[in-house]
Amino acid sequence: IDLRHYLGTHCYCFPQTGPHRLRFFLESMKHRRKMLKKKGSTLVVRKGKPEDVVCDLITQLGSVSAVAFH
């Protein structure tokens, strides 16, 4: 979760992501994790800048041969 999406814009201080969209996002992630667990997998959710978090996650996991994200 990139917290920069939940700060005010630099021009007018309007939120980039409002409370309703945030709630929808969090509920969606909760549902997705539940569905993945039923299939024997999981969903990794981290908070921070993606460019830092992905690098840290790769280091933590150790042997990563490929990374793909959208």
Side-chain angles (χ1 to χ4, degrees):
I1 300 174
D2 188 346
L3 297 178
R4 295 175 290 190
H5 291 283
Y6 304 95
L7 302 174
T9 60
H10 63 279
C11 293
Y12 301 104
C13 260
F14 291 117
Q16 293 178 12
T17 302
H20 300 292
R21 186 173 179 188
L22 175 60
R23 184 176 336 119
F24 174 78
F25 173 75
L26 294 174
E27 288 173 359
S28 298
M29 292 298 103
K30 184 178 179 181
H31 177 72
R32 188 164 299 170
R33 177 178 275 152
K34 182 180 174 184
M35 296 287 90
L36 286 168
K37 282 190 176 192
K38 284 183 179 181
K39 296 182 180 283
S41 189
T42 190
L43 176 66
V44 176
V45 178
R46 297 287 187 264
K47 179 174 66 173
K49 295 179 182 178
E51 56 270 26
D52 297 332
V53 173
V54 172
C55 186
D56 292 343
L57 188 57
I58 291 169
T59 303
Q60 178 185 351
L61 293 173
S63 61
V64 174
S65 59
V67 175
F69 60 93
H70 177 79

